[in-house]
Amino acid sequence: MWGRHRKALIVAILLCIAGFLVAVTLIATLYKAPSCNDDTQNQGETGVDCGGPCSHLCTADQLKAQVLYARPLTQQPGRTDVIAAIANKNPAAAAKNVPFTVTLYGGDGTVLATKQGTVDLPPAATVPVFIPGLYSGFQSVAHAFLTIDDNAVYWYRYTDTRPVLPTSNVTVTPGDAPRATASVSNPTAYHILNLPVVITVFDASNNAIAASRTVVDQVPPQGSASMIFTWNAAWNGTPAREEVVPQLPLP
């Protein structure tokens, strides 16, 4: 009798151990820890995979990128550039590789040219977008529009720790072959290489009348570098102010 009880006890213990091992194996195999890309609202998220512990902002917390202006610049026959500006009014959120489309129209509504591109939008910043030679035809360009697909913009929480690169000594010389010079400073302890810089020239009515872009090969640590912007034809307006914007990429 005692032998049968002991045998039954051993079998019960073995079954419990086997069941425990099976349960552990199933949990390890099937259980997935909550994450910010599991298509489920969990772990304190305020939406599906957004808000709370996730860096991705939920739609309700986002301020859409705002296109401030898009202006065609035809300084000479057969070439039209475009200068535009996009504002990110999110104070602590950024978006990388934001897709945009620029479209040029003639006076009769005909589409003359389109171009797609991407741009980084740092927090609380206005970013210039310069597209040289978008249209090489001789039809009159009446309008330029820059559009953004809001559904393709991924906003994420970001505190901007990139250095501020001051610009100074801006000198603009209008005429038949206008030019502008400026300096950019590097307050950091490391070299900044291949720095894009955009200049926009405005008239007294705050309309953009010219724009250009250059790439500074190197700005030394605790130093500065000079920049030159040139145009091949006179501007269609009188310059009143300039904006010179270095464009450090988002990390």
Side-chain angles (χ1 to χ4, degrees), residues 3-4 13 28 39 90 92 104 114 117 123 139 141 150 186 214 216 240 250:
R4 287 199 300 269
I13 293 173
D39 296 322
N90 292 287
L104 294 182
T114 62
Q139 279 187 257
V141 178
D150 293 321
N186 175 9
T214 190
V216 181
L250 287 170

Side-chain angles (χ1 to χ4, degrees), residues 41 45-52 54-65 90 93 150-157:
Q41 183 176 347
E45 298 166 359
T46 55
V48 176
D49 293 341
C50 64
C54 301
S55 62
H56 181 204
L57 266 63
C58 295
T59 301
D61 301 324
Q62 301 172 7
L63 295 175
K64 294 180 180 180
N90 292 287
D150 293 321
N151 294 324
V153 181
Y154 182 90
W155 294 105
Y156 61 95
R157 284 198 299 268

Side-chain angles (χ1 to χ4, degrees), residues 59-99:
T59 301
D61 301 324
Q62 301 172 7
L63 295 175
K64 294 180 180 180
Q66 181 180 357
V67 179
L68 302 181
Y69 63 83
R71 188 169 176 85
L73 303 171
T74 306
Q75 256 84 49
Q76 61 192 86
R79 170 171 169 156
T80 298
D81 303 334
V82 172
I83 182 66
I86 304 173
N88 172 15
K89 296 189 176 182
N90 292 287
K96 292 185 67 173
N97 300 319
V98 174

Side-chain angles (χ1 to χ4, degrees), residues 144-168:
F145 292 94
L146 186 150
T147 56
I148 295 172
D149 180 2
D150 293 321
N151 294 324
V153 181
Y154 182 90
W155 294 105
Y156 61 95
R157 284 198 299 268
Y158 175 68
T159 299
D160 201 350
T161 57
R162 301 171 308 152
V164 175
L165 306 180
T167 59
S168 59

Side-chain angles (χ1 to χ4, degrees), residues 5 25 57 60 62 112 130-131 171 208 249:
H5 282 302
T25 302
L57 266 63
Q62 301 172 7
L112 301 179
F130 176 64
I131 303 176
T171 301

